[in-house]
Amino acid sequence: MTRMDGGGFGNIPGNSWQVKQSQVAAGSVTGLSVADIQQMFSFLPDGNLVSESGTAHTRAGVVLAGIADQLVKHVQVLSENWGGAAAQTAVTNFQQLHETASSLATASTETGAVLSWLGPVITSYKSYTASIANTSAGKQAAQAALSEFNQNLVDANGNLPTTITKNLPNDTLGKQVATITGPGGGVAAGSAAAGASPGGGPTGVG
């Protein structure tokens, strides 16, 4: 597979793309001051941009799901009006395309749900300010907020698709006719989105 946006991992061999490149674990907040934590939060990306990315992924999931559905209809028409070995080859190719579109649709929808949920979470923490900064209670509150945010990131990562796969037909030379790009993804996009959204949200953010 090849990422076509000009960045990232370049050519990716094989028929799957590993979405989760490394483990995400909640880091320790011990020893961090209120100033340290507020600075960390200030470095967070714009939550609105994350939400917009989620919306784009969700829309892509809907488009891909529609493509998958149309491929099923094409195969039905093909089967009713064409027979023989060539027809069976064409049906097999359509089935592979349907499998790939469905896989990408699901992954894109799951990714969109996570990013759409995460955007407002990031916004809530980005401007965090401890109400009683110069006290022990203020430090504990800031550490608790960072610990909670870290867990939100772990939850979000846990709801992302692990891998994205493709199963494309070969051309007459035995090579796959196309490559697919980074995270895509859902047939039944609505239900996939509902299942992918992590539960809970930020609390106790000042």
Side-chain angles (χ1 to χ4, degrees):
M1 290 193 264
T2 305
R3 286 191 59 178
M4 305 300 290
D5 58 5
F9 303 98
N11 292 333
I12 303 173
N15 292 327
S16 65
W17 190 80
Q18 192 75 21
V19 176
K20 299 178 182 180
Q21 299 291 323
S22 58
Q23 183 179 1
V24 175
S28 173
V29 300
T30 302
L32 294 176
S33 67
V34 172
D36 291 335
I37 293 170
Q38 291 181 163
Q39 184 179 49
M40 289 179 182
F41 282 140
S42 72
F43 291 153
L44 290 173
D46 186 338
N48 291 328
L49 295 180
V50 176
S51 295
E52 289 174 10
S53 180
T55 299
H57 278 80
T58 300
R59 288 174 179 169
V62 173
V63 171
L64 287 162
I67 292 173
D69 290 341
Q70 288 299 315
L71 286 168
V72 171
K73 295 177 182 178
H74 286 312
V75 169
Q76 291 172 343
V77 173
L78 184 66
S79 299
E80 293 171 358
N81 296 277
W82 192 17
Q88 183 56 51
T89 298
V91 167
T92 300
N93 288 343
F94 271 110
Q95 289 172 338
Q96 289 179 267
L97 292 171
H98 174 268
E99 179 183 330
T100 296
S102 296
S103 173
L104 291 176
T106 299
S108 187
T109 301
E110 291 174 350
T111 302
V114 170
L115 294 177
S116 295
W117 173 83
L118 187 59
V121 173
I122 290 175
T123 299
S124 297
Y125 286 98
K126 184 173 177 62
S127 57
Y128 174 84
T129 302
S131 57
I132 42 177
N134 297 320
T135 66
S136 176
K139 180 178 179 179
Q140 291 177 357
Q143 290 177 344
L146 180 57
S147 179
E148 184 181 60
F149 178 73
N150 286 343
Q151 187 58 51
N152 283 328
L153 295 182
V154 172
D155 293 343
N157 182 71
N159 282 276
L160 288 172
T162 302
T163 58
I164 298 170
T165 61
K166 66 179 175 72
N167 180 22
L168 296 174
N170 294 329
D171 62 18
T172 56
L173 299 178
K175 298 179 179 179
Q176 287 195 328
V177 297
T179 57
I180 64 175
T181 61
V187 179
S191 60
S197 298
T203 60
V205 179

